[in-house]
Amino acid sequence: MESIVPIKGKVRFAITLDPSVWIFDDRKKKMDDFFKEDAKADDEMETYTKEVSKHWDKEMTEGAQLPETQKKPKRKYNKQEMRTESYGIYFHDFLKNSEPESDAVEVIVECENSEHRFSMEQAEKLILCFSDKGKALKEDGPVHIYYGSTPEEKITHVRAFRVQ
């Protein structure tokens, strides 16, 4: 079984996806989080407003501080969680990086024995699951695609994405 999945077709950049390295990607989320109602209702503007308000309050009470030299903090990973949780990542970032041509209308998911078609709008909402309880999806992977609002709506044995 091939462990990489290409994005090909009407794209400016044909790219290959390697799900084995996504465990260290900051964009990954626990699969349970994708299907929670409250996670979908999170309002970005409200979050932004709260952060700006917190910063304003800090400056008013402590005064402005000069920025320190920019040091990127080291990411810490919970090894136990990585060994027991199921993780996924949205497909839209990968699709955007491949730069589909302006006349592209759909994404075809090529599987071992079938094909599944999604409009470009639907494809941007696809979730790629790459880990089940801390294990790579070797038997029916390398990724599972979740396309609906429930975990039961999934596609397995994915081999490629073709943009048309």
Side-chain angles (χ1 to χ4, degrees):
M1 179 188 78
E2 191 70 29
S3 64
I4 60 170
V5 182
I7 298 178
K8 57 189 180 179
K10 287 187 173 186
V11 292
R12 186 168 178 203
F13 303 105
I15 61 175
T16 55
L17 306 178
D18 184 0
S20 65
V21 298
W22 293 347
I23 196 70
F24 300 109
D25 195 313
D26 292 339
R27 298 171 293 184
K28 77 176 183 301
K29 292 167 81 174
K30 293 179 187 176
M31 287 304 295
D32 294 338
D33 293 344
F34 284 109
F35 299 107
K36 287 183 180 175
E37 285 300 326
D38 57 307
K40 292 179 184 175
D42 186 60
D43 183 17
E44 290 180 10
M45 189 61 181
E46 185 177 334
T47 304
Y48 171 77
T49 304
K50 286 181 182 179
E51 288 298 318
V52 170
S53 297
K54 187 181 351 177
H55 181 72
W56 176 261
D57 292 343
K58 180 181 175 193
E59 284 204 7
M60 293 305 288
T61 57
E62 298 175 13
Q65 296 177 349
L66 295 175
E68 297 178 19
T69 57
Q70 296 286 334
K71 290 183 183 177
K72 191 173 182 180
K74 287 187 176 182
R75 296 279 305 168
K76 293 189 179 189
Y77 298 100
N78 184 336
K79 290 180 185 177
Q80 181 62 29
E81 192 174 271
M82 290 169 67
R83 292 183 192 138
T84 58
E85 292 290 337
S86 299
Y87 289 100
I89 193 166
Y90 279 112
F91 179 61
H92 63 79
D93 287 330
F94 302 117
L95 184 61
K96 183 177 78 175
N97 287 341
S98 70
E99 294 186 17
E101 294 177 9
S102 60
D103 62 339
V105 293
E106 67 182 354
V107 174
I108 300 172
V109 179
E110 298 176 359
C111 298
E112 203 169 89
N113 298 316
S114 63
E115 290 185 347
H116 303 271
R117 296 175 180 272
F118 297 94
S119 69
M120 294 301 283
E121 294 77 28
Q122 291 171 319
E124 292 203 356
K125 297 175 185 170
L126 296 178
I127 300 166
L128 307 179
C129 176
F130 60 91
S131 167
D132 184 37
K133 297 182 180 115
K135 305 283 187 234
L137 305 172
K138 293 185 179 181
E139 287 81 37
D140 58 355
V143 294
H144 293 171
I145 298 176
Y146 290 86
Y147 57 91
S149 58
T150 65
E152 289 77 33
E153 299 174 281
K154 72 177 179 179
I155 301 169
T156 60
H157 298 91
V158 176
R159 298 294 172 251
F161 296 96
R162 187 173 74 239
V163 178
Q164 286 195 322

